[in-house]
Amino acid sequence: MTKEKLAEIVIDRLKKEYPDAECSLDYDQAWKLLVGVRLAAQCTDARVNVVVEELYAKYPDVDALAEADVADIEAIVRPCGLGKSKARDISACMKVLKEEYGGRVPEDFKALLALPGVGRKSANLIMGDVFGKPAIVTDTHCIRLVNRIGLVEGIKDPKKVEMALWKIIPPEEGSSFCHRLVYHGREVCTARTAPFCERCCLADVCRKQI
C-alpha cells in the first residue's frame, strides 16, 4: 500500500471516529490562540484554559497585554511552566501586533513566523483554525502517530514531518487531520502507556512501529 493510499484510509477513519475534533485551546479571537499555543508548550491545554481566564480578565485585548508589565504576565502564567520565557514572548508578540498590525493577527505564514515566540506549529495552527487555510500542525501527538502508523518512517524533527505529510495529505484535510490525531493520541494511541491497539480504528492498516 502506498503512503498516499494509507493516508486516505487513515483520514477517512479518523473523520468517522472524531467527526467534531477541533482545537482544545479556548479562544474567541486570533490573538488569544497565539497566547494559548505559546503557553501550551510543555503544558496541557486544560491547564492553559484555566490560566488564561485570569490573564484575559486582567488584559482583555492586545493593547492591554502589550502594555502590561512582563513580571505581571509571568505571575499569572507561571502555573503553565517556563513562566519567564513565555511571559517575555507573549509581551513581545503583543507589542508587535499592536505596533505593526493594528492589533490584528497577520494572515500570512511568514509574517506569523516572524512574531516573537511563534514557530511553525503555532503558525500552522493559526493558519488552519483562524484563517481556514491549508495547515499541518506537527505537535507531539502528530509526530508519534504518523511514525507509528507508517505515514512517515523514523522522522522526529517537526519540520521534516510536516514536509513529508504535505506530500501525502490533501491540503484541505491537513488541519482537521492533525486535530483528530491529537484526539486519537490522547484516547487510544497513547504515549505514556502501551497504545490500545485492540480498540483502534486503524488496527488493520497501522504498521505498528511502536
Side-chain angles (χ1 to χ4, degrees):
M1 187 188 303
T2 65
K3 284 185 170 60
E4 288 80 3
K5 181 60 178 177
L6 178 59
E8 182 182 327
I9 294 170
V10 172
I11 289 169
D12 182 61
R13 292 191 186 178
L14 290 181
K15 192 177 292 187
K16 291 174 181 174
E17 195 77 5
Y18 311 102
D20 302 318
E22 59 185 7
C23 180
S24 51
L25 289 168
D26 292 338
Y27 71 98
D28 55 9
Q29 297 178 66
W31 68 270
K32 291 183 178 180
L33 183 55
L34 268 180
V35 171
V37 72
R38 181 65 188 94
L39 292 176
Q42 299 182 43
C43 181
T44 66
D45 290 358
R47 181 180 292 273
V48 171
N49 289 339
V50 172
V51 169
V52 294
E53 288 185 15
E54 180 182 352
L55 186 69
Y56 300 151
K58 189 169 183 179
Y59 308 109
D61 53 41
V62 170
D63 286 1
L65 198 49
E67 293 166 5
D69 189 288
V70 176
D72 292 336
I73 298 174
E74 182 187 349
I76 296 173
V77 305
R78 189 177 293 120
C80 294
L82 305 174
K84 191 175 294 294
S85 62
K86 289 179 180 181
R88 184 180 63 243
D89 286 344
I90 289 169
S91 175
C93 184
M94 294 303 110
K95 282 180 167 61
V96 173
L97 293 185
K98 176 186 177 183
E99 295 165 6
E100 297 185 20
Y101 297 101
R104 301 180 64 84
V105 174
E107 191 175 342
D108 177 81
F109 190 76
K110 289 185 177 179
L112 286 169
L113 281 181
L115 295 173
V118 176
R120 297 188 67 86
K121 182 180 78 170
S122 302
N124 270 299
L125 186 64
I126 295 290
M127 291 301 288
D129 280 41
V130 174
F131 300 120
K133 301 290 183 67
I136 290 179
V137 181
T138 50
D139 67 355
T140 56
H141 292 292
C142 174
I143 294 169
R144 183 176 75 256
L145 268 64
V146 297
N147 273 279
R148 285 179 174 179
I149 294 166
L151 292 174
V152 305
E153 295 177 11
I155 307 174
K156 299 301 172 66
D157 178 78
K159 184 177 180 181
K160 290 180 180 178
V161 171
E162 180 192 335
M163 294 303 108
L165 291 177
W166 277 120
K167 296 176 182 177
I168 59 174
I169 304 295
E172 69 276 9
E173 298 285 357
S175 182
S176 296
F177 171 66
C178 292
H179 285 319
R180 293 186 175 105
L181 287 177
V182 172
Y183 279 55
H184 198 61
R186 287 173 178 166
E187 298 177 17
V188 179
C189 198
T190 52
R192 296 184 180 179
T193 65
F196 300 97
C197 298
E198 69 280 359
R199 56 182 174 89
C200 178
C201 63
L202 306 172
D204 62 315
V205 295
C206 178
R207 296 179 185 174
K208 297 181 176 62
Q209 300 182 58
I210 301 169

